[in-house]
Amino acid sequence: MFAKAFRLKSNTVIKGSDRRKLRADISAAFPLLSAEDLNELIPNKEELNIVKIYAHKGDAVTLYVLHKNPIFFQLEKQLFPTVYTLWRFPTMLPAFVTWPPVLQKLTGGADLMLPGVVVHADGLPEVNQGDCCAVTLVMNRAPVAVGTAAVSSAEMRNSGMKGKGVNILHTYMDQLWAFGDKSHPPVMQVTNSPAQVEGEEYEEEEQDSSDPASVETSCRSMQELRLDEHELLKEEEPLEDKEGENTDGEDGDSRSPQEQMDELLLQCFLHALKTKVKKSELPLLTSSFQRNHMMSCCPKGKYLDIKKSSYKKLSKFLQCMQKDHSLIRVKELSKGVESIVEVDWRNPELYSFSIPEDFEPEKESEEGGGASEVPYQPPEITPLYGVTARLEPLFQDAQKKKGTPLKASEVRNIITEYVKKNELVHETNKNYVIINPTLCDCLLEKSEYQEVEKLKWDDLFSRTLIRMQACHELLFPGQRPVVKKGQMEPIDITVASRGSNKKVTMIKNLEAFGLDPAVVADTLQHQVQASCVLQDSPGAKNRVLVQIQGNQVQQVGKLLLDRYLIPRKYVQGLDKAPKPGKKK
């Protein structure tokens, strides 16, 4: 299930009532756990997170994460422990034993077949079909896989140990294991020996495996194998993303576009760390690092698009730079907002990096005293209109299908062409358009079917635009345009009262305009000399709001309109500024 990368949906801290319910569910599902075990697994005062994900096949899975390690996962209302939990409580599940070479197959997504099960002197563990069970290796009792029994123990014996034994859900070295601290199985000595050993090869393996050091050797070799497989998966996975890609390399470059983007990403990352980031700037928001530093290090004629790399997301790329390259340390200083808190400038990879010869630095602006950051430029916001199913017949001749976003001028040209092509202009009064059956179905209400026979041009255009799906296009300097559904949400400035009639000003939705809330907060704090904090924005994922003491609407408005050049129509709440002569 977790052989390939999964998609994260949400990550929230568990509530007290949910914590109690989880403890009760675990106690009912795993009766071998004592009360002390449950308190250790689900402590009362330590932070426990509920992480909802989608597996690569689309299954909705809930993870319970403690100390950054997943301890349980829930699939179709059934709880399963992870290998991290089983290493602490190895006897909480009935376990089937197999040979070390079989583990390679299990991590690749295969199920445990009965011919690969080793039967000890005390026989098979007693399970019913569908029961949760673990898989261990002959030389170590530490579980390496979790799944459900494909058939009962009695059926396994009756079949002569042929067929499928365990449906594997999670293994050591899979993506769920990689979501944790990536620790390796502890060495747990085996007290009993296998009763059935077929062939001399297994006898030799058993003798070799009696040494606890062989466990670690096996784990290390498995890790190397897994890394090789992961590289292959990276190359094969995103076929749909390769459509329409332009390769930035030379014609003779045999690498895939994804590999080229990975190399460009690493180059810009090292370039930014070496020449742009200063120690005094740390901690630095990851979003600011990408926008202000990495983008400006991209060579001329090339475009940095992390979605076309194997990482897909900035957070995954930075995690790789932290864990695999030891270049930086990333920390979540506030909920959902990650920052780079440390850079290892002595790292050999960074120290030996040299600026590419084809890089042309941008001319620094005289304003700002030679600051290294790229000056903020507001995005170009273009209102668009999406073709709806009802209006599709009107745009059929222009070959515009449902969902196609168009500018108002394009809509006007297409409607005008449709009217002329079908000779619908009124003969005596050119200001009117005759309504044919298609226009009737698309633009008129049912009550108007028998009454309205003609419309003015302006009315025709306005009715068309009203019935289209509102969209907008965002174009940031140096980036590709992004089309989003709905109208552009403005920056919202509100004033709220706190205890003792104190006022605070809150600013929301800065991220939509490419503004860093931390930078805005710091600027305002210095301008008005008032306390300023960042808080989670209610009802918005991965968004924060800026809260500053007092009614500072006037100062916020000046900053947004004059310095950041945000159009006034996209700033909401300027009317809440204090009136002259009144107390702030």
Side-chain angles (χ1 to χ4, degrees):
M1 168 166 282
F2 302 106
K4 293 184 180 180
F6 50 77
R7 181 163 57 91
L8 195 67
K9 181 184 177 186
S10 64
N11 186 350
T12 57
V13 179
I14 196 170
K15 298 178 182 177
S17 56
D18 292 335
R19 188 188 295 261
R20 291 190 293 272
K21 182 179 181 301
L22 176 62
R23 188 182 285 114
D25 290 344
I26 293 173
S27 178
F30 309 103
L32 293 178
L33 293 174
S34 64
E36 291 77 12
D37 294 339
L38 288 171
N39 289 332
E40 185 181 344
L41 267 174
I42 313 294
N44 287 322
K45 295 186 178 180
E46 296 185 33
E47 185 174 297
L48 181 67
N49 288 58
I50 300 177
V51 180
K52 295 186 177 181
I53 64 170
Y54 289 113
H56 71 279
K57 290 185 178 179
D59 300 300
V61 184
T62 301
L63 310 181
Y64 296 94
V65 181
L66 178 69
H67 300 149
K68 296 188 178 180
N69 273 344
I71 55 173
F72 286 92
F73 64 96
Q74 190 171 30
L75 177 66
E76 296 177 354
K77 298 184 179 180
Q78 184 175 355
L79 280 169
F80 299 91
T82 65
V83 289
Y84 292 110
T85 299
L86 290 175
W87 293 340
R88 295 163 61 191
F89 305 98
T91 60
M92 67 184 292
L93 289 180
F96 291 88
V97 184
T98 189
W99 303 101
V102 177
L103 178 57
Q104 298 180 10
K105 304 296 183 183
L106 302 185
T107 56
D111 293 323
L112 179 63
M113 308 304 287
L114 289 175
V117 174
V118 178
V119 182
H120 282 112
D122 51 1
L124 291 171
E126 292 300 323
V127 294
N128 294 320
Q129 185 177 6
D131 283 357
C132 184
C133 52
V135 178
T136 65
L137 302 179
V138 289
M139 75 292 197
N140 191 359
R141 286 192 305 115
V144 292
V146 181
T148 58
V151 291
S152 65
S153 301
E155 290 176 284
M156 292 180 190
R157 287 188 285 267
N158 293 336
S159 67
M161 297 301 288
K162 294 181 180 179
K164 186 183 294 186
V166 179
N167 297 310
I168 300 298
L169 298 175
H170 157 53
T171 67
Y172 161 62
M173 295 298 291
D174 68 3
Q175 294 296 319
L176 181 57
W177 167 85
F179 192 67
D181 60 14
K182 298 185 180 180
S183 55
H184 300 291
V187 177
M188 300 180 185
Q189 291 295 335
V190 179
T191 55
N192 51 358
S193 58
Q196 295 178 1
V197 181
E198 299 179 3
E200 297 178 359
E201 291 183 8
Y202 289 149
E203 291 178 4
E204 292 174 4
E205 286 181 13
E206 186 182 352
Q207 291 171 1
D208 294 344
S209 64
S210 61
D211 182 7
S214 63
V215 179
E216 188 172 353
T217 304
S218 176
C219 293
R220 296 296 179 187
S221 62
M222 272 302 303
Q223 186 177 17
E224 292 173 5
L225 173 69
R226 189 64 181 165
L227 288 173
D228 292 340
E229 291 177 352
H230 182 59
E231 293 300 325
L232 289 173
L233 286 172
K234 278 184 179 180
E235 295 178 5
E236 295 173 0
E237 201 170 31
L239 293 176
E240 66 275 6
D241 290 343
K242 293 181 180 179
E243 293 180 6
E245 277 192 317
N246 294 322
T247 57
D248 295 323
E250 298 176 358
D251 294 337
D253 197 338
S254 60
R255 295 172 303 165
S256 67
Q258 191 179 77
E259 290 173 328
Q260 294 179 43
M261 187 57 69
D262 283 353
E263 182 182 345
L264 180 62
L265 199 62
L266 179 61
Q267 175 188 313
C268 294
F269 173 78
L270 293 172
H271 190 170
L273 285 185
K274 190 159 187 175
T275 63
K276 301 286 184 179
V277 179
K278 299 177 182 177
K279 193 172 184 179
S280 58
E281 294 179 2
L282 302 179
L284 177 64
L285 282 174
T286 55
S287 56
S288 300
F289 173 70
Q290 181 194 17
R291 183 178 64 251
N292 296 333
H293 299 310
M294 286 184 65
M295 287 294 185
S296 62
C297 291
C298 188
K300 191 175 181 181
K302 295 186 178 181
Y303 173 71
L304 195 62
D305 188 352
I306 200 164
K307 289 186 178 179
K308 291 184 178 177
S309 70
S310 60
Y311 303 98
K312 303 300 179 189
K313 292 183 180 179
L314 178 65
S315 58
K316 287 186 179 179
F317 171 72
L318 294 179
Q319 283 175 10
C320 178
M321 296 299 104
Q322 174 176 304
K323 294 181 180 179
D324 299 344
H325 296 255
S326 301
L327 285 161
I328 58 172
R329 188 163 68 88
V330 179
K331 191 174 181 182
E332 194 173 303
L333 296 180
S334 60
K335 188 178 177 183
V337 181
E338 290 186 336
S339 299
I340 298 174
V341 296
E342 188 179 325
V343 178
D344 183 8
W345 275 284
R346 295 183 180 179
N347 185 291
E349 188 174 3
L350 180 59
Y351 186 78
S352 62
F353 175 79
S354 57
I355 299 173
E357 295 179 0
D358 59 346
F359 176 73
E360 296 181 10
E362 295 180 4
K363 294 181 180 178
E364 294 184 1
S365 60
E366 295 179 1
E367 300 176 5
S372 61
E373 286 196 2
V374 178
Y376 171 79
Q377 295 181 27
E380 292 182 19
I381 305 168
T382 306
L384 298 177
Y385 302 87
V387 178
T388 59
R390 181 177 177 180
L391 296 180
E392 198 169 2
L394 272 179
F395 295 87
Q396 194 169 7
D397 292 343
Q399 297 181 347
K400 304 297 181 184
K401 296 181 180 180
K402 177 185 173 183
T404 305
L406 301 167
K407 295 179 181 179
S409 58
E410 293 176 317
V411 174
R412 179 180 287 266
N413 291 337
I414 291 172
I415 297 301
T416 302
E417 186 64 29
Y418 175 85
V419 170
K420 291 180 177 178
K421 183 178 180 180
N422 291 275
E423 299 179 352
L424 298 177
V425 180
H426 199 277
E427 292 182 359
T428 57
N429 191 342
K430 306 294 183 182
N431 293 328
Y432 284 90
V433 174
I434 299 171
I435 302 300
N436 68 353
T438 301
L439 290 175
C440 179
D441 292 338
C442 293
L443 304 180
L444 299 185
E445 303 294 337
K446 288 185 178 179
S447 59
E448 298 175 323
Y449 283 0
Q450 305 298 327
E451 299 175 2
V452 179
E453 296 181 353
K454 58 184 180 180
L455 288 174
K456 283 189 174 182
W457 280 100
D458 288 343
D459 193 12
L460 184 73
F461 296 137
S462 62
R463 283 176 180 250
T464 304
L465 294 176
I466 288 172
R467 285 162 175 77
M468 297 184 78
Q469 169 70 51
C471 307
H472 64 277
E473 180 188 84
L474 276 175
L475 176 59
F476 287 95
Q479 299 184 29
R480 292 183 178 177
V482 178
V483 176
K484 297 184 178 181
K485 288 185 178 180
Q487 295 180 344
M488 181 67 180
E489 292 185 18
I491 296 174
D492 185 34
I493 307 172
T494 56
V495 178
S497 297
R498 295 292 184 258
S500 304
N501 199 29
K502 291 182 179 178
K503 307 240 181 231
V504 293
T505 304
M506 294 181 290
I507 314 157
K508 303 177 186 175
N509 203 36
L510 291 167
E511 297 93 337
F513 291 80
L515 286 168
D516 187 341
V519 174
V520 174
D522 185 62
T523 305
L524 284 171
Q525 189 172 10
H526 285 86
Q527 281 187 359
V528 302
Q529 297 296 306
S531 173
C532 197
V533 295
L534 297 176
Q535 294 183 347
D536 293 326
S537 185
K541 293 180 182 178
N542 301 324
R543 293 286 178 93
V544 294
L545 61 83
V546 176
Q547 178 178 298
I548 188 165
Q549 190 175 2
N551 187 332
Q552 309 293 350
V553 174
Q554 193 170 359
Q555 294 294 334
V556 174
K558 284 184 179 179
L559 180 68
L560 295 176
L561 299 177
D562 299 341
R563 179 168 174 178
Y564 293 133
L565 304 177
I566 305 294
R568 181 176 286 271
K569 64 180 178 180
Y570 294 118
V571 181
Q572 179 177 291
L574 294 174
D575 56 324
K576 297 180 177 65
K579 302 294 185 289
K582 289 191 177 182
K583 272 189 177 181
K584 289 188 179 182

